[in-house]
Amino acid sequence: MFPLKRRKITKVEDENQENKICKFPEVAIFILERKMGASRKAFLTRLGRSKGFLIEESLSSSTTHVVSESNTGDEVQTWLNNHTNRQDTTHSVHLLDISWLTESMAEGRPLTPQDRHRLKTSTEPSVDTTTTLMKSYACQRRTPLKHHNAFLTDALEILAANAEFNENEGRSVAFRRSASVLKALPQAVHGMDDLRNLPCLGEHSLRIIKEILEDGTSREVESTVQSAQYQAMKALTGIFGVGVKSADRWFREGLRSPLDLIRTGQKLNQAQQAGVRYYNDLNRPVTKKEAVAISHIVEEAVNAVLPGAIIELMGGFRRGKEVGHDVDFLITHTEEGEEEGLMPKIINWLEKQGLLLYQKTTRNSYLESKDGPARPPHNMDRFERCFSIFKLERDKDSSRSLQETASYDSSTMEGDDRTKEQEPVPSWRAVRVDLVVSPYSQFAFATLGWTGSKLFERELRRWAGQEKGMSLSSHALYDSKQQRYLRANSEEEIFAYLGLEYIPPCERNA
Ligand code: UTP
Ligand code: MN
C-alpha cells in the first residue's frame, strides 16, 4: 500500500454522475492516463462504470485503488508524489496494474489485489514525506516561482555566482543544486532537522545554512558580498557582451565599473559598447508589461515578413516571472523550410521602424547529419539567433515615475555627478531581446530548451545522459541504445521519452 492522503468518510461526489449505479462504493478506482492515453482511459472508465465500479474522475482523498498500464511502480509513485498534497496525513492506496481491473471486470466485482497485480516500487514508502518526495534531479521536481526559503537560497546563490566569477563551475553548480532543493520544499526550513535526507546538500552548503539558521546571517556570504572582487565582477559581467574572462582581466588591471572602462579607454567590441551605453537600462528589470509590449512588436514584425509564423514567449516570462533580465522569443512556421532566411527579414523590418539599438545575428549552423547526437558544450545551440537591444517607448506612467527616481539612476552609472539629476528621462528605454528561429521539426525541443530555468535545463540533460542513455539538446533527443533520434511534437512527449513526469513551465523554476 502506498501512503496517500487521509481518507474521507463521506464519498461518492456528484461529479461522478455516471457512478450513480455504483455497486462497490468501498473501492474507489483512479485510472492513470499516463502512457495509456485519454481515449483508452475513457473507454475503460465507461466499461468499468457500466459494470458498477466506482471510477473517479480525478485522484482524490477517497481513492483506494490506482490503476495504470505500462508504468513501473516507481513511475506511478513519482506521479502520485507530484499530485498529492504533501501536508496531508497519509493513507494508503493500492498501486495496481491494469490486469487487476480487467480481471475484476471479467469477474463482475473488484477482486482482492494479488501479488501479480501489484506494482513494485524500489523504495519502501515512508511516513516522512520529505524523504520520499524530494527527488535528486531538479527536473523530477516541481519548483514554483515563489517559495519559502529565499533567505537561504539568496545566500547560496551569491556563493554560486562568486564561484562562477572564479570560473569554478563545479562549485557553482553544487551551490545552485542546493538552493534548488530548498526552493522545492513545501515549507520554510526552521532547523537542521528539516534537512534530513534531502538530496544534493553538500557539506559546504549545509554549513552556510546552519550559520544562517543559527545567527541569521553567514559570515562567508557577508564577506563575499563586501569583497571588491565580487562587487567588481558583478558590475563588469553585468555589462551586456562581457563574460567572466574579460571581467576578470579588467579586475586584475584595477578596473571596477563600466565607468572605469570608458575612463581608461578600453577597447570594446560592438556588443560591449552597446552594453556600456545602455548599462543602466539593461540592469533595470524588464517588467511583464514591457515584455508584453515587446511581444506585440515582435508579432507585428514577424507577421509583416512571414504571415502565419508562430511566435512564442520563452525564458523566465514563460515560467511566470514578473520581471526578467531580457525577453526571449522562439519563432517557427508549421511548413518546414518557410522559416529559412526569416531572421534577416525580421531584423530589417525592425531596423526600418527604428526599433533596434543593437543587433547581432548568428546563422543556423545545426545539421543533424553533421553534428550528430553529441551536444555542444554548455548547451550552446545552433539556431539562427539574434541578440538584440530594443528601443521601447515608455508609457506615460513609467516615464513619470522614472523622472522621480532619475537621481538614483544617474548615480549608478555616473558616480556622484549630481548635475545629471536634472537631465530629462528619455521617452524610451533599452531592453535586451533574444530572438530564435527554429525549424518546426525541432520546435518542441527548442521550446523545452528555451524555457529554462538554466538549472532545470542542465538537470534535464544530466538526467537524459546519466539515467536514460540519451542525449538531449534544444534541437533533438537521441537514444544511444536504440541509436536513433526520438521525434516529438510537444514538450509532454519529450518528458515521456525521458521517463519523467511532465512539469509545466511555471514549476520549472529550479
Ligand atoms: P535566460 O538567460 O534569458 O534566462 O535564458 P531566463 O530564465 O529567461 O531568466 P531572465 O529573467 O532572462 O534572467 C532563457 C533560457 O534560454 C536558454 C537558457 O538555458 C534558459 O533556459 N538558453 C539561453 C539557451 O538554451 N541557449 C543560450 O545560448 C542562452
Ligand atoms: Mn530571459
Side-chain angles (χ1 to χ4, degrees), residues 314-317 319 321 323-329 432 434 450-451 454:
M314 297 284 122
F317 287 110
R319 300 197 308 275
K321 278 177 72 174
V323 292
H325 97 285
D326 68 356
V327 197
D328 310 287
F329 293 95
R432 275 273 300 112
D434 270 0
W450 276 84
T451 297
K454 285 199 194 75

Side-chain angles (χ1 to χ4, degrees), residues 240-255:
F240 170 64
V242 176
V244 167
K245 285 208 160 59
S246 311
D248 187 59
R249 178 163 43 80
W250 287 326
F251 172 70
R252 285 169 202 280
E253 289 169 13
L255 309 178

